[in-house]
Amino acid sequence: MKIAVVCLGNICRSPMAEVVLRDRLDARRLDDVELVSAGTGGWHAGEKMDRRAAATLLEAGYDPEHHRAQQWPVGDPDTYDLVLAMDADNLADLAGQAPEGGLRMFRDFDPEGPGDVPDPYYGGAEGFREVLAMVERTSDAIVASVASVRPSS
């Protein structure tokens, strides 16, 4: 299975989601799931994660060091089973660039309800903590969904 998480610049929301989702997939031993994050814009390509996003992840016990921003599409978009947009603008930008039926909002899986993952870039630390909380609970639900559709070994 291949999953992509996409936001605007790939330095805040989608890399936070990639790090947390990878942690959750690894914990469930779903290491055959290919996971990437990307941005609809390419102006941050090659850069590390936003320092505030990285600090929020580090504070919560995650390792953000390996991330480098990249622009969507990453490889052939039709090879992804699931492309998760972080907000409605990202969803609109991705229309026609993802497999039919495989493009969804990230928070479609959120147990607290669907909606946008707010962009914390222009705010303070609290916005990054809010995004992390959304990402953690939603990642748990995504991994449960992935695990439920996988053949048992």
Side-chain angles (χ1 to χ4, degrees):
M1 177 174 250
K2 283 180 78 171
I3 300 173
V5 186
V6 183
C7 69
L8 182 60
N10 194 222
I11 59 167
C12 295
R13 296 171 292 171
S14 61
M16 290 177 77
E18 180 185 9
V19 168
V20 173
L21 201 46
R22 173 52 53 208
D23 177 78
R24 300 306 200 261
L25 288 164
D26 288 349
R28 292 283 296 265
R29 295 200 167 110
L30 296 170
D31 46 349
D32 61 330
V33 176
E34 212 175 305
L35 177 64
V36 300
S37 67
T40 57
W43 52 92
H44 292 295
E47 293 180 16
K48 289 185 173 188
M49 189 181 309
D50 179 276
R51 63 178 174 70
R52 298 160 300 167
T56 302
L57 287 169
L58 274 171
E59 185 178 289
Y62 300 101
D63 179 7
E65 289 304 311
H66 302 288
H67 175 77
R68 294 299 176 269
Q70 56 188 346
Q71 186 174 6
W72 179 261
V74 179
D76 180 358
D78 289 328
T79 64
Y80 288 87
D81 300 293
L82 192 56
V83 178
L84 300 170
M86 298 307 271
D87 67 30
D89 289 336
N90 305 144
L91 186 72
D93 289 341
L94 292 166
Q97 297 184 47
E100 193 164 326
L103 177 59
R104 311 251 322 252
M105 293 283 286
F106 183 81
R107 287 193 61 211
D108 283 352
F109 293 88
D110 189 339
E112 291 190 14
D116 289 348
V117 176
D119 190 345
Y121 186 79
Y122 293 105
E126 184 55 39
F128 286 89
R129 287 191 294 272
E130 177 186 354
V131 166
L132 180 59
M134 280 180 195
V135 162
E136 287 179 322
R137 70 176 180 255
T138 303
S139 292
D140 288 338
I142 291 168
V143 169
S145 178
V146 167
S148 74
V149 298
R150 305 200 43 86
S152 32
S153 41

